[in-house]
């Protein structure tokens, strides 16, 4: 890790001169950003501005799209994640992801959370039981499901399914959790659950969240990046972005003049 000159934060992710292409179509242009450890960083901007593409560059999820490729440098804990010999499986263990639509496996609640640890070689029932309980507690779901761990995860409510997906991401003990609009499909009560959970998780994890909800970004994040047409227009402390942005484009978006 290195120390960020901005506010003296410890940087866990450093992005420099990042360009990203879907085939011949360029989606990101010369993006540079330092993401501080154990903070919540929100990415905002209108639909199609590149914020979700940028999020997925941090664990190379875009790799699965034919013809997609990145240029530039992304380092996590000082290691270039795009170097040819990079271990992508190890990267995705370190950098977990929660998607916009909850996507539990059609398995039991227990097997959903235990899936990742099993994949990485943990087989003993007692060890798995401990991981499942810890992860569900971290996701504020344990008390609601502890008596029915053998039940199908698809029987849970939408909000519970999303918290289960967060538990599943936490089960492999990541350093960073990426969240792509994790509350956009949820009702206000479930959204509040997710926001409270993010506030708790920031004590132990670095969280990067894409949100279309500016009020949510203002409530839950420490830092905010504003994207527009594939460019990072501004990145700063969230309070500064929302009260005294440095760029007119940012101010226009925040005040609803466009977007």
């Amino acid at each position: 890790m290195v120390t960020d000159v901005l506010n003296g934060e410890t940087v866990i992710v450093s992005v420099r001169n990042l360009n990203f292409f879907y085939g011949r179509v360029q989606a990101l242009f010369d993006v540079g950003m330092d993401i501080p450890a154990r903070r919540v960083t929100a990415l905002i901007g209108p639909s199609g501005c590149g914020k979700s593409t940028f999020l997925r560059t941090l664990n190379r999820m875009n790799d699965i799209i034919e013809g997609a490729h990145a240029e530039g440098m992304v380092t996590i804990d000082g290691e270039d994640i795009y170097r040819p010999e990079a271990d992508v499986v190890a990267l995705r263990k370190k950098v977990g992801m929660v998607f916009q639509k909850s996507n539990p496996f059609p398995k039991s609640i227990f097997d959903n959370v235990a899936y990742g640890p099993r994949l990485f070689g943990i087989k003993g029932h007692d060890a798995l039981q401990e991981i499942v309980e810890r992860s569900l507690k971290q996701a504020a779901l344990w008390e609601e499901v502890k008596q029915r761990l053998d039940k199908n995860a698809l029987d849970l409510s939408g909000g519970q399914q999303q918290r289960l997906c967060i538990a599943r991401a936490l089960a492999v003990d990541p350093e960073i959790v990426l969240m792509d609009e994790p509350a956009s499909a949820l009702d206000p009560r479930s959204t509040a659950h997710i926001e409270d959970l993010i506030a708790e998780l920031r004590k132990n994890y670095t969280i990067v969240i894409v949100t279309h909800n500016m009020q949510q970004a203002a409530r839950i994040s420490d830092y905010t990046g504003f994207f527009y047409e594939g460019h990072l227009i501004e990145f700063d402390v969230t309070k500064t972005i929302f009260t005294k942005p440095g760029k007119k484009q940012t101010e226009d978006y925040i005040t609803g003049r466009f977007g």
Side-chain angles (χ1 to χ4, degrees):
M1 292 186 183
V2 296
T3 303
D4 185 8
V5 293
L6 183 66
N7 302 308
E9 296 276 17
T10 300
V11 172
I12 189 169
V13 180
S14 186
V15 180
R16 293 289 181 272
N17 309 116
L18 178 65
N19 296 285
F20 193 85
F21 302 82
Y22 294 108
R24 295 182 179 177
V25 178
Q26 188 165 357
L28 294 175
F29 298 82
D30 199 31
V31 174
M33 181 190 298
D34 284 337
I35 296 175
R38 297 194 179 186
R39 296 286 186 266
V40 179
T41 297
L43 308 176
I44 63 171
S47 295
C49 68
K51 56 190 185 292
S52 290
T53 294
F54 175 76
L55 189 77
R56 293 193 299 267
T57 65
L58 304 182
N59 69 346
R60 294 184 53 173
M61 282 295 291
N62 290 319
D63 286 14
I64 63 177
I65 301 170
E66 187 175 353
H69 71 281
E71 297 174 358
M73 181 173 286
V74 179
T75 63
I76 296 179
D77 287 332
E79 294 189 6
D80 179 4
I81 67 171
Y82 282 91
R83 69 191 189 282
E85 67 275 16
D87 184 338
V88 179
V89 174
L91 170 66
R92 291 178 187 153
K93 182 177 185 293
K94 178 182 282 192
V95 186
M97 186 149 191
V98 178
F99 296 91
Q100 179 175 358
K101 187 176 186 302
S102 57
N103 58 343
F105 303 134
K107 301 172 178 283
S108 71
I109 294 168
F110 183 96
D111 285 341
N112 263 269
V113 182
Y115 181 84
R118 283 177 174 146
L119 205 62
F120 287 101
I122 298 174
K123 305 296 183 187
H125 182 77
D126 289 349
L128 289 170
Q129 182 72 43
E130 186 178 321
I131 291 169
V132 168
E133 181 173 341
R134 169 180 57 80
S135 303
L136 288 170
K137 283 179 176 176
Q138 287 180 300
L141 190 57
W142 174 251
E143 292 300 326
E144 296 169 46
V145 302
K146 63 183 180 182
Q147 303 298 336
R148 48 182 177 140
L149 296 176
D150 60 337
K151 302 298 183 186
N152 195 314
L154 299 179
D155 294 336
L156 296 172
S157 70
Q160 288 174 323
Q161 286 188 17
Q162 192 63 301
R163 280 182 283 149
L164 178 67
C165 292
I166 292 171
R168 191 174 66 196
L170 298 178
V172 296
D173 200 23
E175 289 184 41
I176 301 166
V177 180
L178 310 178
M179 297 185 172
D180 194 354
E181 300 197 25
S184 65
L186 302 180
D187 59 75
R189 186 179 176 197
S190 296
T191 296
H193 265 307
I194 297 295
E195 290 185 10
D196 289 345
L197 178 55
I198 290 169
E200 189 65 27
L201 291 175
R202 63 150 47 99
K203 297 173 185 175
N204 297 303
Y205 301 93
T206 301
I207 297 173
V208 187
I209 179 171
V210 164
T211 178
H212 69 284
N213 184 328
M214 284 188 286
Q215 290 76 22
Q216 183 177 73
R219 282 194 300 267
I220 67 172
S221 69
D222 303 291
Y223 291 84
T224 296
F226 167 55
F227 281 81
Y228 185 68
E229 294 186 346
H231 297 267
L232 176 63
I233 304 301
E234 190 167 355
F235 180 79
D236 210 327
V237 175
T238 294
K239 184 177 180 181
T240 301
I241 290 287
F242 282 93
T243 61
K244 197 177 179 182
K247 301 287 179 69
K248 187 175 187 303
Q249 264 183 307
T250 311
E251 183 181 353
D252 288 348
Y253 182 71
I254 295 294
T255 55
R257 291 188 187 126
F258 77 91

